[in-house]
């Protein structure tokens, strides 16, 4: 049995996170292939609306791993309603961010516990335990870090303003992780890394999901310091993002002319040691290996739970 | 056209408040009998749950006057659901106070606006405008005042703990309005009183609904200072409370041996000048008049909107 740390953003990353979770005892794997699983979640996308703290990526992980996620969207709770949001609109509020009624329970409880003085790490542990989740879900830090997106059209805007309110229509010129300089790697992150056998970067947008995690001062170093394989799973397959705006951002930002597995590999070269790319992109494997990666070529498109669990097991077997 | 100020607690008082509102232009009366209507609401029953500020009496007035109240209960929003509350229970929360999903919108918005620095008076004006309500709804003060109920069984507990959580089962030994000494009559209350022709104490529990309002330092004096009739509508009819625990409390507390219209009149003797009692209690009218009241004997049991509007119109005609 191996211990695994996984870094994940939202919907795309949560798919592989679910596959990893299903290899643990709590995820009902018999026998379990993974002992301790700790998922580090991105909180750069967090926001406050109507006075409550919303952690979209942590929520997506919470709901996905506990099996209550809306399968049609990959986020939100299956069958959730929007009575609160509709009433807020009746009061004249501009409710552009989707918030379900069951979902509000998560935000209300989180906000209340944060105000009572608990850290976001403690609050998240309370929430995941409430949903019966047995793996660790750790925010990247306890401090507020906000991913700001620099655009020509709208200036510097919050990630959710860019992604949800303006539907990712703007050309991204740059990113800033406001507050990152004051953030700290948490004791829980350090402890998880002390016992891990493998670090997996789930197929999440490098710029918007993984960079904020790595922007926490010391995070890159503690990850490297674990002295175990760091494996990147490409979020780009056949030149397209599996989910979200990763491909568009890679084409316009960061010096890459095109979105590709190779382009992703270049972003992590010299730091990560393993790379998982899709069979469709097999032709790029030689160049990726030339960057110093040990590569695994397989089917990385995860549609079913079986796909997710199989990919997780392959990664564990090949790199673990 | 007369201007009216009404003092009201929750469900019982809201019935007459609705009758009064229906005599205004905004309440669709043609021609309107009431010009400006200002309702002073009790906030002694307020509470915080899950980090949001709940004002049960103001909410009941908001929902009743805007026509969205649940007619079966007299509080809450008609057809409201409890998805948020059920999810909070799933997280392990002890959710003993009913909170609907639409209802949560009111609490969320109120809490957010209070945190932004608005007074409760300003916030309440925003909420009632959002629901299209054209009369003024004024909290008794902007400061936090909490009605504490002293019991043998549970010690000193909050009103909602006594009334909702413990189902009003305890014998009430005394009441304390915590924070009242630091409260102030608001400019909006003073302004409403400057132009009023009549003050009506709606049929609300004297001890639990009207006393907290009168506990605001200076409130009794500014009401008297308006120099207009102050009319009490008895919440006790035929020895029983129209709604809530008023009768039981009168029997065990305050020196009254029995709950009666006369008992209510004694509580306001020397301060209020008018008294409305039900035809069932007509035999008590001589004693009530002997206390110095001008009395109106009529049917005070309000079941239909017509009952409410008729009673309001009778009071206006007789005392206005």
């Amino acid at each position: 049995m191996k211990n695994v740390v996984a870094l994940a953003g939202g919907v795309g990353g949560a798919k592989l996170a679910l596959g990893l979770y299903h290899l643990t005892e709590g995820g009902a794997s018999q026998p379990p292939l993974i002992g301790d699983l700790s998922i580090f979640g991105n909180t750069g996308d967090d926001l406050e609306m109507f006075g409550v703290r919303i952690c979209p990526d942590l929520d997506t992980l919470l709901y996905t791993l506990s099996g209550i996620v809306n399968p049609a969207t990959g986020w939100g709770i299956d069958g959730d309603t929007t009575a609160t949001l509709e009433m807020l609109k009746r009061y004249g509020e501009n409710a552009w961010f989707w918030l379900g009624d069951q979902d509000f329970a998560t935000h209300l409880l989180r906000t209340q516990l944060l105000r009572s003085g608990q850290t976001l790490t403690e609050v998240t542990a309370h929430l995941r335990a409430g949903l019966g989740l047995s793996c660790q879900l750790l925010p990247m830090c306890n401090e507020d870090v906000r991913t700001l997106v620099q655009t020509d059209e709208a200036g510097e805007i919050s990630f959710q303003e860019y992604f949800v309110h303006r539907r990712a229509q703007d050309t991204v010129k740059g990113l800033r992780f406001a507050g990152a300089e004051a953030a700290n790697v948490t004791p829980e992150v350090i402890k998880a890394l002390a016992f891990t056998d493998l670090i997996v970067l789930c197929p999440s947008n490098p710029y918007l999901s993984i960079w904020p995690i790595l922007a926490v001062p010391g995070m890159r170093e503690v990850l490297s310091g674990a002295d175990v394989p760091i494996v990147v799973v490409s979020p780009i397959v056949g030149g397209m993002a599996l989910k979200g705006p990763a491909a568009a951002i890679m084409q316009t930002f960061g010096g890459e002319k095109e979105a590709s597995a190779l382009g992703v590999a270049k972003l992590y070269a010299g730091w990560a040691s393993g790379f998982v790319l899709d069979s469709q992109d097999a032709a790029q494997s030689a160049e990726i290996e030339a960057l110093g990666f040990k590569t695994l070529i397989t089917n990385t498109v995860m549609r079913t739970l079986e796909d997710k669990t199989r990919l997780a097991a392959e990664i564990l077997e090949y790199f673990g």
Side-chain angles (χ1 to χ4, degrees), chain A residues 88-102:
Chain A
L88 284 163
K89 287 179 189 169
R90 183 164 174 171
Y91 277 122
E93 293 297 303
N94 179 9
W96 55 266
F97 195 84
W98 193 95
L99 292 164
D101 296 324
Q102 295 179 55

Side-chain angles (χ1 to χ4, degrees), chain A residues 110 112-124 126:
Chain A
R110 171 186 292 127
Q112 185 190 17
L113 293 173
L114 286 172
R115 284 195 202 280
S116 78
Q118 290 192 20
T119 64
L120 185 60
T121 300
E122 291 166 332
V123 171
T124 307
H126 182 94

Side-chain angles (χ1 to χ4, degrees), chain A residues 192-254:
Chain A
L193 287 169
F195 298 99
T196 195
D197 298 299
L198 182 66
I199 296 168
V200 177
L201 274 56
C202 291
S204 294
N205 188 319
Y207 297 108
L208 293 172
S209 298
I210 305 296
W211 260 215
I213 302 176
L214 300 182
V216 175
M219 182 66 83
R220 275 178 187 270
E221 292 73 15
V222 293
L223 288 164
S224 299
D227 207 20
V228 299
I230 299 178
V231 178
V232 178
V233 182
S234 177
I236 303 285
V237 171
M240 307 216 298
L242 287 171
K243 191 86 200 170
I249 289 178
M250 289 194 71
Q251 283 161 0
T252 62
F253 175 67

Side-chain angles (χ1 to χ4, degrees), chain A residues 22-75:
Chain A
H22 269 264
L23 300 181
T24 69
E25 190 175 8
S29 176
Q30 290 295 343
L33 301 178
I34 293 177
D36 290 334
L37 173 64
S38 298
I39 299 165
F40 299 177
N42 167 38
T43 59
D45 302 355
D46 289 9
L47 69 162
E48 276 225 351
M49 294 215 83
F50 309 115
V52 295
R53 168 72 173 275
I54 304 160
C55 301
D57 282 1
L58 293 181
D59 291 341
T60 293
L61 288 162
L62 273 175
Y63 301 157
T64 300
L65 300 192
S66 62
I68 62 172
V69 78
N70 180 349
T73 55
W75 50 266

